[in-house]
Amino acid sequence: MNFIRRAGIYLIRKKGRTLLMLCLLLFMSLFVLVGISFLKSAQSELDRLRLSMASGFVLEVNTENELYREHISFEKGGGASIYTGPMISREMIEKICSIDGVKDYIAELFGYCLWTDLKLRPGMWADTQPIPDDPYITEEALELARHEVGISSCRNGAEQKYFRTGALTIVEGRNIEEEDQYKAVISDWIAKQNRLSVGDTVTLETKEGIYQFSDDPLKTLGEPIKVEIVGVFHANFSQESSPYTAENGLIENYIYTDMDTYYKQRENRQQKNGGGSTPDEYDKVEFLVEDPKELDSIMRQVESREDLDFENMELVVDDMDFMASAKPYSRIRIFAMLLFAVGLGGLGMILFFLMRLWMYGRRNEVAILRSVGMKKREILGQMLTECLFVSAAAIVTALFLSGPVLHQCASMAERAAAPNPDQEKYQVTLSVYHTPEITKTSSDEVILAHTVSKEAALFAVLFVCGVSAVSVILSSAHLNGLTPKQAASL
């Protein structure tokens, strides 16, 4: 009788032992399959988020550094503090973009406002009344403030951070594109209140009172700028307005435009006072990289460039939004590694000690087989065959059950890691320029794969069969090394 047939007879005779081993290997297989599937799914989502949210680094000027701020006084009293220090130049941008791995940059211009004769979401100036004998709070100054819109000019609106992170979504038309000239994207709030849609035109004006104290704050500098609406955006959050939030600090009153619109308003300003930075200088530029895994290496190359002067500038990874979105997937990945560790370590150790106990209990059987002339490799072959038969049955059963089990586990994990519906996904604060800064504070809906991948199934087969075989070999080694007389005397 060959060892394969003997293995089959042994498994049939020892039904309780066979069933116990089958259950143990079944649980091991399921833990490994579910753990690997969770781990792969969570990692895939983390990679996707990293590409969209943590795909670059930011070079930003510290405009609040008092060493580079200058106080200017107005003729009729009062004054303002302006930044006069180093800025990010076009030359710096081109040098950084020339480094291998840097694929593009996002230069965005915040902190300036234009006037428009549109109905805006009311802010702090809506109900403010003029103060007699106050040169600043006049009816003309209030009329100006009530119609100031925050402007953000960019090369590519789709790459703008708030659109990438989902804080803002285009609901009609399209976003700003690099070749656009005098185009605009407005909020759905402004569009609805003013009965505007894609294709309509909005007039923006550079008013003297926006930039300096004036006896005639509504005086138009240069030529009015007519922009065509190419898109309408929706804010996926609610911005609470305090008594100190001006109209131009509300996201609904923001207008995204192309770079030509920015250049035109700069030209209008320079006709009056020639002040301010040149159109090719920025206080914040985001650089995108081809491979996020190389981000640290690329940043080190940028910092080591001797031909780049980063005086009063900071090079950072802007990963706050990524960390907020990645938090549930990071927890799921830890849970997946625990499942895998239980399958690998816990059940593996139990299997080994159980095998060792069973091998010790089979000492008389080994003695008889050795006494009738059976070779060591035939005895080991029988034990391996027994274990592999049970392992194969366990793996087939696990693969059959893994689909429903993984579906239930994934659904439970998605519900457990889902963001609180009562919590705002985004937090809005006002910058030094009184513009809204949007930070993601909560993840989006958590989505995991509900099917077992081929790679996970293949790994489970190799892992379970390998662990079973190694357990048998190690557990039977001390018996196969004994003589028949020694094995019988144990």
Side-chain angles (χ1 to χ4, degrees):
M1 183 185 302
N2 61 38
F3 67 88
I4 297 178
R5 186 177 178 185
R6 283 198 307 272
I9 293 174
Y10 179 84
L11 292 175
I12 294 173
R13 288 179 56 198
K14 302 291 184 179
K15 296 183 179 63
R17 183 173 294 183
T18 302
L19 182 61
L20 181 59
M21 185 185 300
L22 177 65
C23 291
L24 185 63
L25 291 173
L26 174 61
F27 278 111
M28 179 185 289
S29 302
L30 285 174
F31 271 71
V32 171
L33 284 169
V34 173
I36 293 178
S37 298
F38 267 19
L39 191 62
K40 183 178 179 181
S41 180
Q43 189 60 51
S44 176
E45 288 300 313
L46 285 172
D47 291 340
R48 179 186 64 80
L49 291 172
R50 188 176 288 107
L51 285 172
S52 62
M53 295 183 182
S55 54
F57 55 92
V58 174
L59 179 60
E60 186 170 10
V61 176
N62 180 13
T63 56
E64 298 183 47
N65 189 340
E66 292 296 332
L67 295 175
Y68 297 97
R69 296 196 72 85
E70 180 181 336
H71 183 82
I72 59 173
S73 300
F74 300 140
E75 293 180 2
K76 296 191 177 183
S81 176
I82 61 173
Y83 176 77
T84 59
M87 297 288 284
I88 304 170
S89 66
R90 172 68 61 180
E91 183 182 3
M92 292 180 67
I93 294 174
E94 291 176 352
K95 287 180 179 179
I96 294 175
C97 286
S98 68
I99 296 175
D100 289 341
V102 179
K103 66 177 182 179
D104 199 3
Y105 72 95
I106 302 170
E108 191 166 12
L109 292 154
F110 291 103
Y112 76 96
C113 301
L114 293 174
W115 184 92
T116 183
D117 188 17
L118 294 175
K119 182 180 181 180
L120 306 182
R121 177 184 168 185
M124 66 179 288
W125 303 115
D127 298 323
T128 303
Q129 299 299 317
I131 301 175
D133 301 324
D134 189 320
Y136 300 105
I137 312 299
T138 64
E139 186 59 46
E140 292 78 10
L142 292 174
E143 180 66 15
L144 173 67
R146 290 166 185 158
H147 290 275
E148 281 187 37
V149 288
I151 303 293
S152 177
S153 293
C154 52
R155 295 166 59 242
N156 186 343
E159 293 291 348
Q160 199 273 342
K161 178 181 176 181
Y162 300 152
F163 286 100
R164 291 203 327 264
T165 59
L168 305 179
T169 305
I170 297 292
V171 293
E172 183 182 349
R174 62 170 176 83
N175 216 320
I176 296 296
E177 296 177 355
E178 191 165 354
E179 65 274 8
D180 281 341
Q181 291 183 313
Y182 304 114
K183 307 296 183 183
V185 173
I186 65 174
S187 71
D188 52 0
W189 197 99
I190 288 183
K192 181 179 179 180
Q193 295 297 319
N194 296 274
R195 297 182 179 179
L196 296 172
S197 60
V198 173
D200 291 337
T201 300
V202 173
T203 300
L204 305 172
E205 298 183 38
T206 309
K207 297 293 187 181
E208 186 172 82
I210 294 177
Y211 302 101
Q212 65 184 53
F213 176 80
S214 172
D215 291 329
D216 186 9
L218 290 173
K219 178 182 177 181
T220 300
L221 303 178
E223 299 177 0
I225 309 170
K226 293 185 180 296
V227 293
E228 179 190 353
I229 299 172
V230 295
V232 177
F233 72 83
H234 173 73
N236 296 313
F237 57 91
S238 58
Q239 180 183 358
E240 298 292 335
S241 60
S242 74
Y244 306 103
T245 305
E247 277 74 0
N248 57 31
L250 298 169
I251 192 64
E252 289 86 352
N253 298 337
Y254 241 70
I255 296 180
Y256 284 85
T257 66
D258 55 81
M259 297 301 293
D260 279 356
T261 304
Y262 171 76
Y263 296 151
K264 182 60 179 177
Q265 72 87 27
R266 289 289 301 164
E267 179 184 322
N268 289 341
R269 286 184 61 189
Q270 289 170 347
Q271 288 181 13
K272 173 67 178 178
N273 53 26
S277 60
T278 67
D280 290 332
E281 290 185 338
Y282 310 89
D283 59 6
K284 183 177 181 180
V285 179
E286 181 180 2
F287 294 90
L288 305 179
V289 300
E290 295 176 355
D291 185 358
K293 296 178 181 177
E294 300 295 325
L295 184 56
D296 292 339
S297 174
I298 293 173
M299 289 181 65
R300 286 194 294 270
Q301 292 182 55
V302 173
E303 291 172 333
S304 63
R305 289 281 294 256
E306 296 182 355
D307 57 344
L308 290 173
D309 184 7
F310 295 122
E311 181 184 357
N312 199 43
M313 300 178 192
E314 187 177 12
L315 198 67
V316 296
V317 178
D318 187 9
D319 59 357
M320 289 182 63
D321 297 302
F322 167 73
M323 295 302 293
S325 294
K327 189 180 298 182
Y329 294 106
S330 298
R331 291 199 297 262
I332 290 172
R333 189 169 64 169
I334 293 173
F335 174 69
M337 288 189 288
L338 287 175
L339 282 178
F340 186 75
V342 169
L344 175 66
L347 295 179
M349 290 298 295
I350 293 174
L351 179 64
F352 172 75
F353 288 118
L354 193 59
M355 286 290 185
R356 189 174 181 86
L357 181 63
W358 285 348
M359 291 300 106
Y360 184 79
R362 299 177 70 175
R363 60 190 184 278
N364 291 331
E365 177 187 351
V366 172
I368 294 172
L369 293 175
R370 293 291 305 280
S371 64
V372 297
M374 187 166 294
K375 298 179 180 179
K376 296 179 182 179
R377 63 173 178 270
E378 291 180 306
I379 298 175
L380 179 60
Q382 175 187 335
M383 294 178 178
L384 284 173
T385 302
E386 295 167 2
C387 188
L388 292 177
F389 276 167
V390 179
S391 298
I395 291 172
V396 171
T397 306
L399 291 174
F400 179 75
L401 295 176
S402 61
V405 171
L406 181 60
H407 177 75
Q408 292 297 323
C409 291
S411 298
M412 291 174 60
E414 289 171 350
R415 290 193 296 269
N420 186 347
D422 298 327
Q423 178 186 359
E424 281 282 6
K425 291 184 180 181
Y426 303 92
Q427 180 181 3
V428 185
T429 57
L430 294 181
S431 71
V432 66
Y433 298 117
H434 303 287
T435 58
E437 291 189 340
I438 307 168
T439 304
K440 196 164 189 176
T441 57
S442 175
S443 66
D444 296 320
E445 181 184 3
V446 178
I447 300 175
L448 297 171
H450 286 233
T451 56
V452 177
S453 64
K454 294 180 180 179
E455 293 82 359
L458 178 61
F459 182 87
V461 171
L462 296 176
F463 172 75
V464 173
C465 290
V467 169
S468 302
V470 170
S471 298
V472 170
I473 293 172
L474 294 177
S475 301
S476 61
H478 73 291
L479 290 179
N480 282 332
L482 301 176
T483 64
K485 185 176 181 179
Q486 290 173 325
S489 62
L490 289 176

